[in-house]
């Protein structure tokens, strides 16, 4: 797999940082501004987030942060495994409402770059799964929002092995049809 793999959603990129291993384990650069810039990705990340989900089938999302504090995210899994999803919600985009999803694990080391203008969510595959992600803007509670994770109009196959474990916020999130997107295709938030 190449260092950068484009997905069918323009702007969403799968990143495969090289790992150098021996009997002790491995070393990998999880973020290198120059290498990313060499591939046309210039994002100024300002905040790192780290969360642990204790239960298998925990679903977090589909989340976004609206302008003026919209966030691009670079997501990776530090322990366990998860299914990571991006949904295009940029008004006027040819791929509006479409999604891509990838297995990210501590073992495979893959990362998903999700630009502003996309919903983000994930489902855990193992107990005590850690997600670690960089954000291009600071958390702003007044700009925080969500869309229902299992909206049939989006049609994400989460691959759950049982009932979803959800927060109250995610259980009560609106459907995509009821979501007034603050994102416009072609705008840079």
């Amino acid at each position: 797999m190449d260092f950068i793999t484009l997905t069918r959603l323009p702007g969403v990129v799968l990143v495969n940082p090289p790992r150098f291993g021996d009997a002790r384990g491995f070393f990998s650069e999880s973020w290198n501004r120059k290498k990313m810039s060499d591939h046309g990705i210039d994002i100024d990340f300002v905040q790192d987030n780290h969360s642990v989900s204790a239960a298998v089938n925990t679903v977090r999302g589909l989340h976004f942060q609206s302008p003026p504090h919209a966030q691009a995210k670079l997501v990776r899994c530090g322990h366990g495994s998860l299914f990571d999803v991006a949904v295009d919600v940029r008004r006027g985009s040819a791929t509006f409402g479409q999604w891509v999803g990838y297995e990210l694990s501590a073992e495979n080391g893959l990362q998903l770059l999700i630009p502003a203008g996309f919903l983000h969510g994930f489902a855990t595959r193992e107990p005590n799964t850690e997600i670690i992600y960089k954000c291009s803007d600071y958390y702003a509670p007044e700009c925080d929002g969500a869309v229902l994770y299992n909206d049939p109009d989006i049609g994400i196959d989460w691959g759950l092995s049982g009932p979803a474990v959800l927060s109250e916020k995610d259980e009560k999130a609106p459907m995509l049809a009821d979501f007034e997107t603050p994102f416009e295709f072609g705008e840079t938030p």
Side-chain angles (χ1 to χ4, degrees):
M1 178 181 277
D2 294 332
F3 176 66
I4 296 289
T5 302
L6 303 179
T7 72
R8 64 182 183 83
L9 297 183
V12 178
V13 175
L14 193 62
V15 182
N16 184 24
R19 286 184 170 184
F20 306 95
D22 58 26
R24 300 168 297 166
F26 72 86
F27 170 83
S28 180
E29 290 180 345
S30 60
W31 168 252
N32 182 307
R33 183 185 303 274
K34 181 177 181 335
K35 283 183 184 176
M36 295 298 270
S37 183
D38 289 348
H39 286 86
I41 300 169
D42 289 305
I43 299 175
D44 184 23
F45 289 114
V46 298
Q47 178 176 312
D48 280 4
N49 295 337
H50 183 170
S51 76
V52 175
S53 296
V56 173
N57 296 321
T58 296
V59 176
R60 295 183 189 250
L62 297 162
H63 299 157
F64 68 92
Q65 194 163 284
S66 63
H69 299 288
Q71 293 177 326
K73 297 176 181 177
L74 180 63
V75 181
R76 65 187 172 98
C77 181
H79 181 266
S81 63
L82 57 97
F83 183 64
D84 206 52
V85 173
V87 181
D88 188 349
V89 290
R90 299 168 299 165
R91 187 182 309 105
S93 169
T95 56
F96 181 88
Q98 295 180 29
W99 65 276
V100 294
Y102 296 91
E103 295 285 336
L104 308 182
S105 69
E107 185 176 319
N108 71 23
L110 295 175
Q111 301 179 27
L112 192 61
L113 177 67
I114 305 167
F118 290 77
L119 304 175
H120 172 244
F122 65 91
T124 60
R125 300 287 193 243
E126 296 180 39
N128 298 313
T129 292
E130 295 182 4
I131 183 172
I132 303 163
Y133 58 102
K134 298 182 140 342
C135 297
S136 64
D137 204 332
Y138 300 103
Y139 175 65
E142 70 278 10
C143 297
D144 183 46
V147 170
L148 191 64
Y149 82 100
N150 63 350
D151 183 331
D153 287 340
I154 300 172
I156 298 169
D157 179 2
W158 292 96
L160 300 176
S161 60
V165 179
L166 300 166
S167 69
E168 184 177 341
K169 169 188 166 181
D170 291 343
E171 283 180 345
K172 294 180 178 182
M175 305 283 269
L176 184 62
D178 300 324
F179 170 60
E180 186 67 35
T181 184
F183 303 104
E184 191 77 36
F185 181 73
E187 285 184 355
T188 305

